[in-house]
Amino acid sequence: MRLLVTGGCGFIGANYLYYLFETDPDCVVVNLDKLTYAGNLLSVTPLEERHGVKHGDGRYVFAHGDIADAELVTRLVEEHRIEAIVNFAAESHVDRSINDPTPFMTTNILGAQNLLQVARAMKLERIVHVSTDEVYGTLGPDGKFTEATPLAPNSPYSASKAAADLLCRAWFHTYNTPVVVTRCSNNYGPFQFPEKLIPLMITKAKADQPLPVYGDGQNVRDWIYVRDHCRGVDLALRKGTPGEAYNFGGNAEKTNIDVVKTILTALGKPESLITYVQDRPGHDRRYAMDYSLAERTLGFTPEYTFTAP
Ligand code: NAD
């Protein structure tokens, strides 16, 4: 398949490139990334060693640019005879969205809209838009989000992602654009920017610095290993039904404080490093994903468990 993968120098996008070249050695990929603070070319450097793939070799091209740039995206699609887009590019950090929402609206909404327009105009076979469980808002102690759960985002980040999900819906219903939306829970794994919970806590603990935990630490997230998420996105690309949204999760609900304590134990560091700090405004209490649709229709199942045996 000839793919335009956006945000391939970010955490999940980079992992997807490794997954792709491992599972589909014949694929041709253009990686379009703006290289914001969260994008790092070094994350894709090992592609050469692991899969013999490097920029400009006919199988892989890195393009530095913005997903909101209509001319650039159109040119890349034309020049490389792209068949499908997988959109990972986003502003992705909730705290940053609270401090400065504007880049989230520009990239996550207008950028996504631009990709939908190009997919429509160029009659692409498929566009996969990678979204998040956060679009559903928050849960009480019971229940799980299904794809039918109404969108009820509570942060500027999740509102921008929900807006893009709705644009995808509109492009499918209005223009018949073959778009598939994926919504996944919290990812962990290699190449994650160290502002997110797990790499942040590991970095602080290793340096014997205080570990800042929001509120009472009882917020619950469902954790999934990034490779499982990548497999889900790839299944949605190849087997998903246009117009559908698919939930993905790891079936591994943990409170934040449990995650932090697990890290401290693994590193042999004392719990006295934990420092409770003022809660994040609008902090969702609990997320949990019902991913039975993806299990049933795509054959998805998470293969990795959160806790190493
Ligand atoms: P990330 O912040 O690590 O990476 C984002 C990448 O997008 C970076 O390489 C950045 O340079 C690039 N980018 C940002 N703006 C761009 C633009 N305008 N044009 C081109 N490139 C741009 O994010 P991530 O954690 O890898 O998340 C990837 C996607 O998955 C996002 O859409 C996010 O909403 C979604 N998601 C993430 C998680 C998670 O746990 N991290 C969970 C569910 C869904």
Side-chain angles (χ1 to χ4, degrees):
M1 219 174 187
R2 304 182 70 89
L3 296 174
L4 176 67
V5 175
T6 71
C9 297
F11 165 44
I12 305 172
N15 278 282
Y16 182 64
L17 294 182
Y18 291 102
Y19 179 83
L20 204 51
F21 282 109
E22 185 185 320
T23 54
D24 181 5
D26 296 330
C27 68
V28 173
V29 177
V30 176
N31 170 12
L32 171 61
D33 198 300
K34 190 177 169 184
L35 296 180
T36 67
Y37 77 95
N40 191 343
L41 269 175
L42 289 177
S43 299
V44 292
T45 307
L47 273 175
E48 185 171 358
E49 195 185 315
R50 291 192 204 168
H51 301 297
V53 171
K54 64 176 180 196
H55 169 70
D57 67 0
R59 298 168 68 199
Y60 174 72
V61 172
F62 171 69
H64 185 200
D66 195 323
I67 57 165
D69 181 339
E71 211 179 294
L72 171 66
V73 178
T74 305
R75 181 169 58 72
L76 290 173
V77 166
E78 268 172 2
E79 210 172 284
H80 299 281
R81 292 178 285 118
I82 294 298
E83 294 164 319
I85 297 175
V86 184
N87 179 29
F88 292 97
E91 290 291 339
S92 70
H93 190 46
V94 176
D95 289 341
R96 285 178 190 260
S97 82
I98 294 168
N99 294 332
D100 181 12
T102 306
F104 288 73
M105 307 307 139
T106 315
T107 288
N108 298 3
I109 304 176
L110 296 178
Q113 185 250 348
N114 183 47
L115 297 178
L116 285 164
Q117 278 291 69
V118 174
R120 174 191 165 210
M122 310 289 291
K123 298 190 172 27
L124 296 192
E125 285 173 27
R126 182 64 48 93
I127 170 168
V128 177
H129 176 71
V130 178
S131 187
T132 165
D133 57 359
E134 301 195 28
V135 297
Y136 296 123
T138 189
L139 286 167
D142 305 313
K144 292 185 172 188
F145 298 129
T146 73
E147 291 82 357
T149 303
L151 305 192
N154 291 319
S155 72
Y157 163 68
S158 54
S160 68
K161 295 296 292 184
D165 286 19
L166 294 178
L167 292 178
C168 292
R169 180 187 160 90
W171 256 247
F172 173 72
H173 285 282
T174 306
Y175 306 115
N176 214 15
T177 305
V179 56
V180 174
V181 173
T182 63
R183 299 188 182 125
C184 190
S185 60
N186 275 39
N187 286 223
Y188 65 96
F191 309 123
Q192 191 165 29
F193 193 77
E195 66 190 353
K196 302 283 170 69
L197 184 75
I198 290 180
L200 178 73
M201 296 301 160
I202 292 172
T203 310
K204 298 260 184 208
K206 282 173 78 177
D208 294 310
Q209 289 172 356
L211 273 56
V213 174
Y214 279 135
D216 60 6
Q218 294 302 319
N219 302 64
V220 175
R221 300 293 180 259
D222 168 19
W223 291 94
I224 182 171
Y225 186 59
V226 63
R227 189 180 164 89
D228 280 331
H229 181 196
C230 291
R231 186 169 353 93
V233 168
D234 204 58
L235 285 167
L237 169 71
R238 291 162 204 272
K239 293 169 73 176
T241 304
E244 277 297 354
Y246 295 93
N247 283 354
F248 296 106
N251 203 17
E253 283 187 54
K254 306 268 172 226
T255 60
N256 287 347
I257 193 66
D258 277 351
V259 172
V260 171
K261 286 181 179 172
T262 304
I263 291 168
L264 288 171
T265 307
L267 294 175
K269 300 286 182 177
E271 288 189 7
S272 56
L273 286 174
I274 295 171
T275 310
Y276 291 95
V277 298
Q278 192 179 8
D279 209 354
R280 168 194 277 167
H283 201 180
D284 291 333
R285 194 66 175 168
R286 175 172 167 261
Y287 305 137
M289 289 300 248
D290 176 337
Y291 53 83
S292 53
L293 177 68
E295 256 179 333
R296 240 182 10 257
T297 60
L298 303 179
F300 168 81
T301 182
E303 284 178 6
Y304 296 87
T305 53
F306 185 80
T307 315

